[in-house]
Amino acid sequence: MSDKPTAVRVYLARVRTALADLPASEIEEILEDVRPHLAELEAELGEGARVEALIERLGTPESYAAELRASGGYPPAGEGATQVLATAAAPSLAKPRIALWGLVLCAVALALLAFGAAISIHADVLLGTLLFLPVFLISLALLLRGGVGPVLALPEVSWLRGALAKGREQDDTGRVLRWLGSMKPAWWVLCAVVLLGFGVLLMMRQRSAVLLLPFLLVAAAGIVWAGPRVRGDRRLLWLVVPVSAFVVGGALGGFGAAVDLISNRYYPSQQSSYYPSSSDRYGNQQLTYGGEEVENVYAFDAEGKPLTEVYLYDERGRPLALTRYGCERSSGTKEKIGEDNRFPRPKIEQGVTDSRGDYNGYYGNRAACREDAGVPFSAAIPKVTVPPSSTSTPAPATSSSAPATPTPTK
C-alpha cells in the first residue's frame, strides 16, 4: 500500500480516539464529513505526504477533534488528552495569543475603516489599512510558523467554544446558531457581491478608486474559495474573518450613507410645519427668480464695474439674509458658516486634489474645496438716454401788432 492513504488513516485514528466519549454513530458522521477534506489536503501535499505534514497544516489530531466538538455543539472532552494538550501548550502561549489578537485587531480596524469609507464615499479613508498591515503580517507569520493548533488551544478560544456549545444546547439560541450556520454558503457569495458593489460605488465618486478594484476582486474570489473550506482548515480564518469584517463595516456604512442622503433630500418637506416651503434646510429664506433659486447676487455700477460689500434689503427694510457657505478644509466639503445679506459671495467649488496639491488633476484622489471670490462674468450696462419731451415749455406771449406810437399835437 502507498503512503498516501496511510497519513489520512493515522490522523483520523487519533481524531477518533479523541472523540471516543461520543456515540459511535456520531463519531462516524463527524469523520465522514472531514475525510474528503483530509484526502484533498493530502493529495495537495503530494505523494510522500506524511502525518506530520497534516499536523502542520491542521494542528494535532486532538486539537482538530476539539474543534470538531465545538463546531458540532458537543460538550468538551474531560480530563486526559485535552489536559495534556493544554499543559504542553502552556509554555508557548505568547506567540499563539499574538497571532489570535492580531487577527482580531485587524478585523475590527477593517470594519471601522470600511464603515468610514462607505459613509463618506471616500476611498482615501482605506489608506488607514496600511497602518494595520504589519500587525496582520506578524499574526499570519506566527500562525504559519506555529500552526493553528496552539491558537485553538488558547483559554479564550476554549471559553468561546464552550459558550457556543452551551448556546447550541438552548432552544432559542441553538435555533439561531443553526440557522446562521445554514446561511454560510450564501454569506460567502454575498460578501463577494458587496465587495464588488463597494468598489463600484467608490469609483463613481473618485476615479482613482479604480486602483482598489484588483484588490477587491482578489478578496471576493478568495472568500468564495476559502469560505466553504474554512471548517477543514482553520488557517483560512485569517482570510475570511478580515474580509467578512470589512463587508459588515462597509454594509453598515453604506446603509448609514443612504439614510443620510434620503434625510437630506427630504428634510425641507419634513420641516414644513416649522419653515416655509421657500426655506432651505437651515430654515433661512431662499431667493427665487423665474421659478429657480438664486444663490448669489452680483451688482455693477453705471460704468460696468462690479461692486463689493453690497447689502440687500426689501421695501420694508428687512435684510435679505441667505445661508452663507464656506469650505470645510479637513473634509473638503461645502459647509454652512453663517447667514447674512452681504453680496456678492465667493463661489464654492468642490473637486479633488492629488499628492502634489494640483486641483482636479488626473490623479486626484482627495476631496477638496476652494472659494472663488471673482466675478464670473462681465456686464455691459446699457446707457440710459432721456427721450425728448412731447410738450415744449410755453414761450412768453407776444402781440402780433405793435402799439401805436402817440402822435404829438400842436
Side-chain angles (χ1 to χ4, degrees), residues 199-223:
V200 172
L201 177 64
L202 292 179
M203 284 189 295
M204 291 175 62
R205 179 67 180 266
Q206 293 177 268
R207 288 177 298 178
S208 59
V210 69
L211 300 175
L212 288 173
L213 191 58
F215 299 98
L216 295 176
L217 286 172
V218 171
I223 198 166

Side-chain angles (χ1 to χ4, degrees), residues 58-105:
L58 302 176
T60 63
E62 291 75 18
S63 64
Y64 191 64
E67 182 181 351
L68 293 174
R69 285 177 180 273
S71 61
Y74 299 105
E79 303 295 328
T82 305
Q83 184 65 31
V84 172
L85 278 176
T87 304
S92 58
L93 287 182
K95 292 181 179 179
R97 188 159 281 152
I98 293 174
L100 171 65
W101 288 105
L103 172 65
V104 173
L105 175 63

